[in-house]
C-alpha cells in the first residue's frame, strides 16, 4: 500500500467525536513498514492528541529511532492539504531525521511536500541551550 493509502487507513482509526475532523498519519520506516497514527480526542478538549504526534510517539514507543524514519504522510478532509499545528511542527522538528519527507495531503488528492525545517524555521533545539549553574 502506498503512503496516501496508508494515511487513509490510519485516518479510519481516528477518535474525533468532538470536532468530527478525522486525521490520519502514516510514518514510513526505512524497512518498508508503516506506523499509523490518528487524532485521539477527549471530552477535556485540550488533552486531544494530533494524528502526526500519535504516529511519532507510537513509533518511538515501539522502539524505533529517528534514523528509522523515511517519510510522514498526513491526511484529512481539508480544502487544501492539511496543515500541522505548531506543537506538531516542533515535535516533528526534534523527532524526525533530516531529509525525512513530510507529505501533507487531503482526501480529494491534493499533496504538498515539505522538510521539517520548512515547516518550522528556527525551531527550538535543546543542543543550543546554554545551561547556567545556579
Ligand atoms: N489535528 C490533527 O490531528 N492533525 C493536524 O495536523 C491538525 C489537527 C486534529 C486535532 C483535533 O483532534 C482535530 O484535528 C481538530 O483540530
Amino acid at each position: 500500500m502506498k503512503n496516501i493509502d496508508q494515511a487513509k487507513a490510519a485516518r479510519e482509526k481516528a477518535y474525533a467525536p468532538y470536532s468530527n475532523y478525522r486525521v490520519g498519519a502514516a510514518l514510513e520506516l526505512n524497512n518498508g513498514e508503516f506506523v499509523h497514527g490518528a487524532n485521539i480526542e477527549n471530552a477535556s478538549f485540550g488533552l486531544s492528541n494530533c494524528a502526526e504526534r500519535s504516529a511519532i510517539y507510537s513509533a518511538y514507543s515501539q522502539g524505533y529511532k529517528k534514523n528509522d524514519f523515511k517519510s510522514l504522510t498526513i491526511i484529512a478532509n481539508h480544502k487544501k492539504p492539511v496543515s500541522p499545528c505548531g506543537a506538531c511542527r516542533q515535535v516533528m522538528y526534534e523527532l524526525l531525521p533530516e531529509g525525512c519527507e513530510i507529505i501533507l495531503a487531503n482526501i480529494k488528492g491534493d499533496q504538498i511536500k515539505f522538510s521539517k525545517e520548512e515547516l518550522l524555521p528556527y525551531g527550538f533545539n535543546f543542543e543550543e541551550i546554554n545551561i547556567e549553574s545556579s
Side-chain angles (χ1 to χ4, degrees):
M1 230 198 287
K2 66 185 174 77
N3 300 38
I4 292 289
D5 294 326
Q6 291 282 350
K8 283 182 179 169
R11 185 171 170 268
E12 294 298 316
K13 303 168 196 170
Y15 174 73
Y18 306 105
S19 71
N20 278 319
Y21 182 73
R22 295 183 302 131
V23 187
L27 184 56
E28 184 184 8
L29 309 177
N30 287 322
N31 68 10
E33 291 175 21
F34 286 84
V35 175
H36 287 181
N39 57 328
I40 310 294
E41 298 186 345
N42 193 276
S44 178
F45 300 158
L47 300 180
S48 300
N49 207 60
C50 294
E52 47 275 61
R53 255 183 295 163
S54 296
I56 294 168
Y57 291 165
S58 174
Y60 271 79
S61 302
Q62 291 173 52
Y64 294 109
K65 300 263 186 313
K66 199 171 194 170
N67 288 323
D68 295 325
F69 308 134
K70 184 175 177 190
S71 74
L72 175 64
T73 304
I74 311 163
I75 199 163
N77 188 2
H78 208 76
K79 281 188 184 154
K80 296 182 287 181
V82 64
S83 174
C85 76
C88 285
R89 290 173 194 230
Q90 177 66 33
V91 169
M92 293 190 279
Y93 186 78
E94 177 158 341
L95 298 181
L96 297 181
E98 273 182 33
C100 186
E101 266 190 348
I102 300 167
I103 301 150
L104 308 181
N106 63 14
I107 295 297
K108 64 180 177 168
D110 301 319
Q111 272 186 52
I112 182 163
K113 286 182 191 169
F114 288 103
S115 67
K116 62 178 189 173
E117 293 84 4
E118 286 169 332
L119 288 178
L120 189 68
Y122 203 65
F124 182 67
N125 182 344
F126 192 77
E127 273 115 58
E128 290 165 3
I129 286 179
N130 282 327
I131 297 175
E132 297 168 39
S133 53
S134 51

